[in-house]
């Protein structure tokens, strides 16, 4: 499906929250690397998709009504065998039925397990005065507790992108802290510019949250994504 098709299908259903599956399809079309992601509607399908993708895999709930998948027991990481995948499928479905009984379940996504990297996040929200604004930050506790994030108004210049990355207090972490793999700063600049270009051409998108992105020395991959559409 194209970006237009995904957006119009959601609008027809009167829904503004896109699932991770839809959001990642949109990112891919925008030229942003994501984990491989496929929809399984049954346990059997989840097992055969995991065989195709190759172990270890990750299973996650696909529902427009579940915004925080882990909180609802909707994320299972590092699944190494068909047995683990089958059990994870059942556990996810029963946990969602318990935590969010009214949620519409579309299925469960099967993804490759991305190798660990430095977690960063990119967000887009709209300011009533300035329009789309991008946010960049380091993932995990650095953003949640320390609010170590930077903002720039769309459209970004390369200089904006570079500054947003360098002004983070946690920047040394991206440079490779205590022997950790450094993040490729140019790749992150490119990513910010790609997101800026993309949202500039898509006024139908109200908010976007790519959290986390795993940053590596040779690339970066979006591991989770959420897009919210404008309501009219
Ligand atoms: P939530 O809706 O709770 O934010 P996420 O999709 O972000 O769910 O998953 C929670 C965490 O699990 C992520 O922050 C990341 O650390 C890990 N994770 C999720 N998907 C993958 C994946 N495909 N590969 C590796 N780690 C993953
Ligand atoms: Mg997430």
């Amino acid at each position: 499906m194209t970006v237009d098709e995904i957006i119009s299908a959601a609008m027809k259903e009167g829904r503004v929250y896109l699932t991770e599956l839809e959001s990642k399809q949109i990112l891919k079309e925008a030229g942003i690397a994501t984990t491989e992601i496929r929809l399984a509607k049954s346990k059997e399908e989840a097992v055969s998709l995991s065989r195709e993708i190759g172990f270890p895999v990750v299973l996650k709930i696909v529902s427009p009504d579940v915004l925080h998948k882990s909180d609802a027991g909707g994320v299972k990481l590092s699944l190494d065998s068909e047995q683990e995948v089958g059990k994870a499928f059942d556990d996810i479905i029963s946990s969602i039925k318990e935590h969010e009984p009214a949620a519409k379940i579309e299925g469960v996504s099967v993804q490759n397990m991305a190798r660990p990297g430095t977690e960063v996040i990119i967000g887009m929200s709209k300011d009533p005065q300035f329009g789309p604004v991008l946010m960049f930050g380091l993932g995990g506790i650095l953003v949640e507790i320390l609010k170590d994030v930077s903002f720039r108004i769309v459209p970004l210049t390369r200089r904006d992108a570079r500054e947003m990355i360098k002004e983070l207090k946690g920047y040394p972490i991206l440079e490779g802290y205590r022997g950790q793999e450094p993040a490729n700063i140019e790749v992150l600049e490119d990513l910010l510019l790609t997101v800026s270009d993309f949202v500039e051409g898509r006024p139908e998108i109200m908010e976007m949250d790519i959290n986390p992105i795993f940053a590596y020395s040779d690339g970066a991959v979006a591991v989770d994504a959420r897009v919210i559409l404008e309501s009219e």
Side-chain angles (χ1 to χ4, degrees):
M1 284 218 279
T2 64
V3 179
D4 281 323
E5 285 166 346
I6 293 166
I7 291 176
S8 60
M11 280 174 162
K12 234 174 259 167
E13 290 173 29
R15 137 174 107 77
V16 294
Y17 289 103
L18 300 188
T19 63
E20 178 190 357
L21 184 74
E22 293 166 323
S23 303
K24 280 182 170 171
Q25 282 169 331
I26 285 181
L27 291 186
K28 269 183 218 170
E29 282 221 31
I32 295 165
T34 77
T35 54
E36 186 177 354
I37 177 166
R38 311 271 299 273
L39 179 68
K41 297 206 179 242
S42 67
K43 183 166 156 175
E44 292 67 34
E45 228 181 321
V47 168
S48 72
L49 287 174
S50 63
R51 235 185 279 125
E52 279 176 41
I53 289 171
F55 297 101
V57 294
V58 172
L59 260 56
K60 296 191 217 177
I61 186 69
V62 179
S63 165
D65 304 315
V66 179
L67 301 183
H68 300 286
K69 299 178 290 293
S70 313
D71 294 350
V75 177
K76 302 282 177 193
L77 303 172
S78 297
L79 306 169
D80 281 314
S81 67
E82 296 185 11
Q83 286 79 354
E84 282 182 35
V85 167
K87 182 175 185 304
F89 186 95
D90 290 341
D91 288 350
I92 287 175
I93 300 294
S94 56
S95 179
I96 298 302
K97 284 189 170 157
E98 190 193 321
H99 285 90
E100 315 242 1
K104 179 177 179 254
I105 298 176
E106 289 180 1
V108 166
S109 72
V110 184
Q111 316 186 10
N112 67 294
M113 174 84 190
R115 78 176 165 89
T118 305
E119 290 195 18
V120 302
I121 67 177
I122 295 179
M124 185 279 283
S125 57
K126 283 182 178 167
D127 180 273
Q129 202 170 349
F130 300 113
V133 173
L134 290 197
M135 184 198 75
F136 180 74
L138 287 162
I141 57 162
L142 286 165
V143 63
E144 282 159 25
I145 297 167
L146 302 175
K147 311 272 184 267
D148 184 19
V149 293
S150 55
F151 296 90
R152 288 293 184 282
I153 297 165
V154 168
L156 264 63
T157 61
R158 184 162 289 273
R159 185 182 168 152
D160 288 328
R162 187 168 305 148
E163 285 173 357
M164 290 178 85
I165 298 168
K166 292 216 163 133
E167 74 192 33
L168 292 184
K169 291 187 199 76
Y171 180 70
I173 295 171
L174 294 174
E175 285 182 302
Y177 184 69
R178 296 206 172 156
Q180 240 194 273
E181 177 180 348
N184 187 315
I185 304 302
E186 207 180 313
V187 164
L188 296 177
E189 286 172 20
D190 289 342
L191 195 53
L192 283 163
L193 291 172
T194 303
V195 174
S196 171
D197 280 350
F198 177 68
V199 299
E200 206 187 355
R202 286 285 169 185
E204 314 93 304
I205 297 177
M206 186 183 84
E207 225 176 284
M208 200 154 114
D209 186 29
I210 317 177
N211 179 11
I213 296 162
F214 285 1
Y216 306 119
S217 58
D218 60 351
V221 62
V223 165
D224 185 25
R226 178 157 49 235
V227 169
I228 307 176
L229 302 176
E230 293 283 2
S231 46
E232 76 264 6

